[in-house]
Amino acid sequence: MKRTGTSLPAGWDETMVRDVIAHYDSQTEDEAVVEDQAAFADDTYTVMLIPCDLVPAVQALLSESARPIPNP
């Protein structure tokens, strides 16, 4: 079944999405752990739990930010 009406983030295309999927599909468990640890070690960002109903508001705030949000 093909999905229709799917929108991608600004600057993304189907090739980029497939590349990200391929990256994670080919990643070993050890590589995934190293990648996760590196993300949590970056002290210029934080990770937090956000109630699901507040996620759209947080995403809107982030999209208004002048600082780019890194892609995984």
Side-chain angles (χ1 to χ4, degrees), residues 44-48 50 54-70:
T44 60
Y45 293 92
T46 192
V47 177
M48 61 182 8
I50 300 172
L54 295 179
V55 169
V58 172
Q59 287 174 323
L61 287 170
L62 291 172
S63 70
E64 295 171 7
S65 171
R67 282 184 71 181
I69 306 301

Side-chain angles (χ1 to χ4, degrees), residues 15-43:
T15 300
M16 291 176 72
V17 172
R18 290 184 190 281
D19 287 348
V20 170
I21 292 169
H23 168 78
Y24 288 107
D25 280 350
S26 66
Q27 195 174 49
T28 67
E29 190 171 325
D30 288 341
E31 290 169 335
V33 169
V34 168
E35 186 176 49
D36 290 348
Q37 289 173 338
F40 283 97
D42 183 348
D43 63 1

